[in-house]
């Protein structure tokens, strides 16, 4: 009888703690609560064959209304959405432009004419190869950084709240295992 009570108490403790742990999980957030009107998004959906990029104009529990770049409003069922990214804004590419400019300057530094007898401020030639490489690297590096500062690119972050991805399980499962040795 004592053994039976011990096994019963262990099983009750295990199942009781599993239900307490499940009860303390935070409620699942919906996509409608995560997206605000005016948010720029990229959407991958089974309803549309291409990745759409646009601005959210309305969202509820079943439909996302999106205005694609240069298009008319489009209603997308949320159950068909397989991937979504939210824009974090734009960033400047001055560092990338600087790198491209420096590499171009080094390469072009070997193409400029060098003449030690006919060089100077008014001559079309450089006095040494090092001077040609350094001068072209500085000029093209600054030019590349300036161009890169004006070229902006989008930064994106994925959202996975409430989205159905292929191969994902739809239900939840709780597994409890216990071993009692006498």
């Amino acid at each position: 009888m004592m053994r039976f009570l011990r096994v019963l108490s262990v099983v009750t403790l295990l199942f009781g703690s599993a239900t307490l742990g499940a009860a303390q999980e935070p409620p699942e957030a919906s996509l409608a609560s995560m997206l605000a009107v005016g948010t720029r998004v990229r959407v991958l959906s089974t309803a549309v064959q291409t990745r759409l990029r646009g601005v959210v104009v309305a969202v509820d529990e079943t439909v996302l209304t999106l205005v694609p770049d240069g298009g008319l409003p489009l209603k997308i069922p949320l159950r068909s959405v397989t991937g979504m990214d939210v824009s974090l804004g734009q960033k400047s590419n001055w560092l990338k432009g600087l790198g491209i400019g420096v590499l171009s300057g080094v390469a072009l530094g070997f193409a400029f004419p060098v003449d030690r007898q006919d060089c100077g401020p008014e001559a079309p030639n450089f006095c040494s190869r090092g001077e040609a490489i350094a001068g072209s690297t500085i000029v093209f590096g600054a030019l590349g950084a300036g161009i890169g500062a004006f070229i902006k690119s989008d930064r994106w972050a994925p959202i996975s709240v409430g989205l159905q991805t292929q191969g994902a399980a739809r239900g939840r499962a709780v597994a409890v295992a216990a071993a009692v040795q006498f």
Side-chain angles (χ1 to χ4, degrees), residues 10-162:
V10 168
V11 170
T12 305
L13 181 66
L14 286 175
F15 283 113
S17 64
T19 58
L20 285 176
Q24 293 175 355
E25 290 180 9
E28 209 173 290
S30 68
L31 190 61
S33 67
M34 298 286 292
L35 289 178
V37 173
T39 303
R40 187 162 168 74
V41 295
R42 288 189 306 195
V43 178
L44 188 60
S45 170
T46 57
V48 183
Q49 298 302 320
T50 63
R51 181 182 290 257
L52 293 173
R53 183 183 297 190
V55 177
V56 174
V57 288
V59 63
D60 60 22
E61 298 302 322
T62 59
V63 176
L64 169 70
T65 306
L66 183 73
V67 176
D69 295 339
L72 298 172
L74 182 64
K75 292 186 183 258
I76 303 168
L78 286 180
R79 61 179 157 63
S80 72
V81 175
T82 58
M84 184 177 293
D85 299 325
V86 176
S87 175
L88 299 176
Q90 293 185 327
K91 68 173 184 161
S92 174
N93 290 307
W94 71 271
L95 192 58
K96 187 184 236 182
L98 175 68
I100 292 170
V102 165
L103 290 175
S104 300
V106 169
L108 289 173
F110 288 102
F112 288 120
V114 175
D115 187 2
R116 290 179 191 234
Q117 278 71 32
D118 184 24
C119 66
E122 286 144 30
N125 304 319
F126 286 99
C127 294
S128 69
R129 183 61 58 201
E131 184 181 78
I133 292 171
S136 64
T137 300
I138 291 170
V139 169
F140 283 100
L143 184 65
I147 291 171
F150 288 109
I151 297 174
K152 308 285 186 201
S153 60
D154 291 324
R155 295 180 306 152
W156 298 95
I159 291 182
S160 62
V161 176

